[in-house]
Amino acid sequence: MSTLRGRGRVEGLPQWDRCAVMGVVNVTPDSFSDGGRWFDTTSAVKHGLELVAEGADLVDVGGESTRPGASRVDEDEELRRVVPVVRGLASEGVTVSVDTMRASVAEQAVAAGAVLVNDVSGGLADPAMVPAVAAIGVPFVVMHWRGFSQDMNSRAVYGDVVTEVTAELRARMDAVVDGGIAAERIVIDPGLGFAKDAGHDLSLVAHLDALHGLGRPLLVAASRKRFLGRVLAGENGAPPPARERDAATAAVSALAAHAGAWAVRVHEVRATADAVRVARAVEGAAR
Ligand code: PMM
C-alpha cells in the first residue's frame, strides 16, 4: 500500500502521528452548514472546546462565509467576530487556525494566539496577505481558488481538473514562496467546492496522490459539501440537508487519511476522529 506517501511536516505546528483533525468554528450568520449556530463569542469558544474534547487536533475559526453566492463581510465585522474567539480558544491551549482572506484579520488573529493562517484564496484576495504572513512567520494554507464566492460556479470549467488544479496550486505555491513564506510552512488544499462541480470534487478526492507530487502536506476539506449532497441524493434527486452529510464526510476523512492527507477539516469531529484512527491502524497493519 502506498498510504505513507503524503502527510509530512509543517514547520511551526505540532506533529501528529496520523492525519490531523481540524474542527470548524464558523462565527457567521450564514455559512452553509452551521451559519448562525455559534455567532456569539461565548458559544463559539464553547463549541471549539467541545470539538477538541471530541478529538479535534486544531480548530479553524472563520468569520466570513464562503458558500457559493455569498457576498463579503466587512473588515471590522470580521475582526469583531474572529479575534475574541481565537483569543478565547488559544488561552485554553487550543491550536487555532484562522480562516480569512484578509491580512489584517490574519495579523490580529495571530496576535491573539492563532498559529496557522488558512486563506481560501491562497493569498490572491488581499495583496497584503503574503507579505504579512511572511513577516509573522506562521504556516499558511494555500487553497486552490479561482475567484470570490459570488460568481465562482461560473469558473468551474476544466479540461482535466486534476492536472489543472495541481498546476494552478504549483504556480500559487511558487508565488507565495517568492513572496517570502518559507516552503516548509506551506500546506496545500484542492479547495473542494470552490469553482468546482460535484464531478470535479470527486475526481480530486480520487486523485489526491497527484497533489502529493507538490511535495507539501495536504489539507482536505470535504465536510458537508455539495458533492456529498449529490452523492447521497435520493431518487427524486434532492440532496439531504448539510447537517445530514456527516457520515459521508467521515467516509471521505477515512479515504483522505488513507491517501496520505496531512489533515481533514470537518464540522462534526467525533466520527472523523475515529476515521483517522482507523486509517492509522490500517497503515500500521500494512507495514
Ligand atoms: N472550505 C470552506 C471554508 N474554509 N478552508 C480550506 N482550507 N479549505 C476549504 O475547502 C474550505 C475552507 C467552506 O465553508 P465551510 O466552513 O462552511 O466548510
Side-chain angles (χ1 to χ4, degrees), residues 132-195:
V133 172
I136 319 167
V138 289
F140 187 57
V141 177
V142 175
M143 198 192 83
H144 179 261
W145 188 81
R146 284 185 166 183
F148 290 102
S149 299
Q150 230 157 13
D151 56 359
M152 67 180 172
N153 287 346
S154 66
R155 298 179 215 267
V157 182
Y158 300 88
D160 176 334
V161 67
V162 176
T163 307
E164 286 169 52
V165 167
T166 306
E168 287 170 34
L169 268 177
R170 186 184 299 281
R172 204 51 221 142
M173 264 175 61
D174 289 348
V176 160
V177 170
D178 281 350
I181 298 179
E184 296 72 30
R185 294 191 194 273
I186 293 176
V187 174
I188 54 167
D189 181 333
L192 300 176
F194 287 80

Side-chain angles (χ1 to χ4, degrees), residues 26 32 66 99 118 120 141 143 189 194 219 221 225 265 267:
N26 282 320
F32 80 103
T66 49
D99 185 343
N118 173 24
V120 298
V141 177
M143 198 192 83
D189 181 333
F194 287 80
L219 171 64
K225 283 188 175 166
R265 177 185 180 280
H267 301 86

Side-chain angles (χ1 to χ4, degrees), residues 183-273:
E184 296 72 30
R185 294 191 194 273
I186 293 176
V187 174
I188 54 167
D189 181 333
L192 300 176
F194 287 80
K196 290 159 199 95
D197 66 22
H200 298 138
D201 288 338
L202 285 169
S203 294
L204 287 163
V205 173
H207 294 285
L208 294 176
D209 52 327
L211 297 169
H212 292 323
L214 295 172
R216 292 305 305 151
L218 178 65
L219 171 64
V220 176
S223 190
R224 299 178 174 174
K225 283 188 175 166
R226 276 171 303 163
F227 79 101
L228 295 178
R230 188 66 63 85
V231 170
L232 300 177
E235 276 173 21
N236 62 359
R243 260 183 255 145
E244 290 171 24
R245 301 176 194 168
D246 287 329
T249 299
V252 180
S253 296
L255 291 167
H258 189 62
W262 167 78
V264 285
R265 177 185 180 280
V266 294
H267 301 86
E268 196 280 316
V269 160
R270 202 181 295 270
T272 278

